[in-house]
Amino acid sequence: MLLRWKRRQELAVAAFSQQLKALGEANVPAARIGIEDQSAPLAQLGRAINELLDDLDRRGTRLKDREGLFQRLVETVHDAVLVHREKIVFANARFLDMLGMTAAEVVGKPLSQFAAPEYVELVANNLQRRLAGDTAAERYEIELVGKHGEVTRVEISSTVIESSGEPALLLTALEMLSSVPHESTPSRPRATITLDAMGESVITVDAEGRIDYINHAAATLLGQSSEQVLGKAFPDVASLVDENDRRSLGDPVRKALATGGRVTMGKRAVLVPVNGSLERSVEISVTPLKSNGNDFVLGLVLVMHDTSEMRGLTRQMSYQASHDALTGLVNRREFERRLREAMDAAQAGDVGHALCYLDLDRFKVVNDTCGHTAGDNMLREVATIMKDAVRDSDTAGRIGGDEFALLLVGCPLEKARQIADDVVRAVNDYRFVWKDKIFNIGVSIGLVEIGRGGGSIEDLMNSADSACYVAKKQGGVHVHVYSAREEANARHSGEIHWLQKLQGALRDNGFELYYQPIMHAQANGERGPALEVFVRLEAENGQPSAPPGEFIRAAERYRLMPHVDRWVVQAVLSALGRGGLKLPPGRSVAINISGQTLGDADFLEFVVDCFDHTGANPGDICFEVTESAVVTNLDHVRRFSAVLHGMGCEFALDDFGSGLSSFATLKTLPMDYLKIDGSFIANLAVDTVNQAMVGAMIELSRSLRFRIVAEQVEDQLSLDTVKQMGIDFVQGFFIGRPQPLSITPGPLQINTL
């Protein structure tokens, strides 16, 4: 008899699911419900529904009032049926009769409100998980309490449907036992029903704390059968420990029995089965089962939720947010957080710490000679050397391109000097081998003591940076302990030297332009940038040209970047205007504009005047701005880009993805191109995290109608990967290295494009 009732219920649910799908199609005649079982009860259901549909067809009715039609369909069914979202939105007459209530008393309330107390959590949890699309039982037994206390045991079945354009649950309640008054229910209302179909792990214990039931999911979680655990106390089956320090979290069963209240354990709980089965991260709730009318505890229900996968993902995301993807060391944000904790501890106690600021020597030689891939490999190897040279209690972090830092916790100054010397010695002894080349590098270290009255974190980092600057200038001395007066004098003299050189270059036209080609990644590509120009100081007396990073830092310090950018813009536009620089048809030249220059209110007028005087075509220019420059000067950038974009210039957002502001500002700026930061392109072919992030950037760009440029493409594999991912343009050492841009007297020839 029970099997026939279940068969009838399953077919009814399937019929309703099929009919609701038909109802969801606008202005489509109602489809007939196919009836597999022609037994009398089910045939009556099928005839009632199909007669209603035939009546609609005869009258030519279209399905405009879907909810009303659906309710009419449900009302013809003899089973108790309701539609549930967060709360009940519809219940048929059979369900209302079961509870002895009216629609007004039921609709708008959750089903769990009508369940017996011991089933409230079970019902609420199952409905929530089913609506969310998570794994949960599609069928289970509960007890419903009617208006006058009568109890009806029912089997609840649920299926996910679409109602009014939103997901909902179609629930049927099949009566299993006759209704009896609530007062006559058994005195042991424990959750010993058949729950093997549930995804949650459920265990019940008696008043003495002995296990008397375990469902299939719990047995799987514990790695033990019901015969092995029945009659035992929970500590004889498994223990709970903290995932961080492995300390015991105690017995949740004993805690619940002692307090008579609900006990929860989560966030950091790890379930350790006594038989050595696999440990799992769990969230546990223990709910007492009490007799009616008093607080006497009859037993407990334990519900265990396996959170291992979720916590693993959380730990992975936390690690990625706090660690440098290239070297595995902590990143600048995490390093500064730990440094702040050390400074607070130094202020509160007598324990001192030390901070080391490290800058690699001759790193640029590796990058320029062998490319960024080689440089990245060298940085990874150097990071390992640094980490091995410090103590386990210390922190090594990467805070910039080739800049690192060490936090030496509880370390006196003399011991810190010894550790710094060990790092210098290890790096000096290291040889980096790349193909047929061997490089030896060095490191300069600035050391500062962390004690009371150390100032802010910015002051401390600047002090260590200044000491590193002195160590680098002193040549053979690789470790320098901070002294405020020495650092100020050394840095001032060094910066004055750069100031004099920059002023002379601006006065005497002592800059020169370099260019790097940009190539289409796709066949039959559209218009776009053909090259990017860079500014360099001219070499003096046969010496190599100054590293761009050094003179640009000095130019920014002395607020000279607007003058440097004006020189670049005027030089490029003049060359285009007189024909000294010719571009392929439909292509443009990219010019970088610094954040300092974008903040100059007069710069826009200067650029417009340059176009007027030189006769250059605005469509031949693509201005590049970085994320950080946009955030710092957002209002100026909007005005600058809006005016020049209207004249025909194009704009590219450089280093996209290196900051957190990109997605919030993109919609408000007239950008044409996104240049994905080179750190995402490195190892793109094998790095699944980078692939996911680049894929997300591409999807965003397509939705905003931007074209994409990939920077730092260093080898054939990277080129093939970015092409497959649909990136539009590529740039990097594999495409072409930077080389001098000759803009007089003849036109530029770019053979690589």
Side-chain angles (χ1 to χ4, degrees), residues 165-177:
E166 297 179 14
L169 288 176
L170 179 67
L171 301 174
T172 60
L174 177 65
E175 186 173 345
M176 305 300 296
L177 298 174

Side-chain angles (χ1 to χ4, degrees), residues 3 7 58 138 179 221 292 368 473 490 627 629 743 753:
L3 291 177
R7 174 63 173 164
R58 282 193 300 271
E138 297 180 3
S179 300
L221 188 66
N292 298 321
D368 290 347
K473 292 300 181 183
E627 284 192 74
I743 56 178
L753 296 179

Side-chain angles (χ1 to χ4, degrees), residues 501 512 514 537-546:
K501 291 190 67 171
E512 58 183 346
Y514 276 60
L537 275 175
E538 288 183 345
E540 296 179 352
N541 302 323
Q543 297 296 321
S545 60

Side-chain angles (χ1 to χ4, degrees), residues 516 518 532-534 590-595 598 622-631 637 651-659 661-662 665-666 669 671-680 697 707-712 731:
Q516 187 175 30
I518 300 174
E532 179 180 355
V533 295
F534 309 98
I591 302 176
N592 291 278
I593 305 298
S594 71
L598 289 170
C622 176
F623 289 107
E624 290 191 9
V625 294
T626 64
E627 284 192 74
S628 58
V630 169
V631 174
V637 173
F651 281 82
L653 187 63
D654 201 5
D655 299 335
F656 181 73
S658 60
S661 58
S662 312
T665 57
L666 274 179
L669 297 173
M671 293 291 163
D672 301 281
Y673 307 94
L674 297 184
K675 299 191 73 172
I676 298 177
D677 186 76
S679 61
F680 294 103
M697 294 178 198
R707 283 163 286 173
I708 310 165
V709 183
E711 298 181 296
Q712 295 186 22
Q731 179 180 1

Side-chain angles (χ1 to χ4, degrees), residues 3 41 75 128 136 202 208 217 267 286 316 458 471 485 612 720:
L3 291 177
E75 286 293 357
Q128 180 181 9
V202 179
E208 284 73 41
K267 306 302 182 184
V286 185
Q316 180 183 358
E458 291 79 12
R485 178 175 297 177
D612 291 341
D720 293 340

